[in-house]
Amino acid sequence: MRFFLYILFFIYAYCEISFFIKVADSIGVFLALICIIATSFIGFSLVKTQGLKNFSIMRQKMANHQSLKDEVIKNFALLFAGFFLLIPGFLTDILGAILLIPYMQEFLVKLIVKKMPIKSTLVSSTSINQSEEIIEGEFRRKNDE
């Protein structure tokens, strides 16, 4: 297994370096480096805005006692997109940008939800309190002297 991971890493590094060399040949090394840095900044800002939007949708669904499985899968897609955008290189930036596309996220949600059924239940504090008897009262503390 470890040998397979080494081979996979070297194949990835070879593809990434060869793609960078081809891009650098056509637009120049300095401009290629600027493009890699710019895609990282732009990608992280997109991940941040989509993540905050997804977080607000999750809060609304929790308030309405709806299932959160779609938003959780979208959050994982955003997490992987941010990870791929963090790694320098054009191929990983392209993969991270693909994961940022909302239609691609919807496709992943449908694919994952269809493959493995996820059952979720939401337990709120109001449902727990309604089933138990509530006793109201007052108390005072006595200081130990």
Side-chain angles (χ1 to χ4, degrees):
M1 180 67 176
R2 184 179 286 175
F3 183 71
F4 177 72
L5 290 176
Y6 285 138
I7 291 175
L8 191 66
F9 175 74
F10 283 118
I11 290 172
Y12 158 73
Y14 174 76
C15 292
E16 194 73 64
I17 291 170
S18 63
F19 193 73
F20 179 80
I21 289 172
K22 287 182 181 181
V23 170
D25 265 348
S26 62
I27 64 172
V29 175
F30 185 69
L31 193 57
L33 289 174
I34 289 175
C35 286
I36 287 176
I37 294 170
T39 55
S40 294
F41 282 122
I42 292 170
F44 275 127
S45 67
L46 288 173
V47 167
K48 180 182 173 185
T49 56
Q50 283 189 8
L52 291 174
K53 178 183 147 194
N54 206 17
F55 181 70
S56 67
I57 292 172
M58 286 178 71
R59 286 182 42 194
Q60 289 173 355
K61 284 194 170 188
M62 279 186 2
N64 295 333
H65 303 293
Q66 295 175 344
S67 176
L68 301 174
K69 61 184 173 183
D70 295 348
E71 279 69 31
V72 170
I73 295 171
K74 285 181 186 179
N75 278 339
F76 275 113
L78 288 173
L79 178 73
F80 282 114
F83 175 72
F84 287 135
L85 289 169
L86 177 68
I87 299 172
F90 287 110
L91 295 178
T92 54
D93 287 345
I94 291 169
L95 186 58
I98 288 172
L99 287 175
L100 286 177
I101 299 170
Y103 296 113
M104 186 57 141
Q105 291 175 355
E106 293 293 328
F107 174 74
L108 286 174
V109 166
K110 289 178 185 176
L111 182 73
I112 292 173
V113 169
K114 190 187 305 180
K115 293 283 183 184
M116 57 182 212
I118 301 171
K119 295 184 181 183
S120 63
T121 58
L122 182 65
V123 178
S124 67
S125 61
T126 58
S127 65
I128 293 172
N129 288 339
Q130 290 174 353
S131 65
E132 296 179 4
E133 185 177 331
I134 299 173
I135 301 173
E136 294 185 25
E138 295 181 12
F139 72 95
R140 281 187 278 180
R141 289 189 183 200
K142 291 185 177 179
N143 291 335
D144 292 332
E145 293 180 2

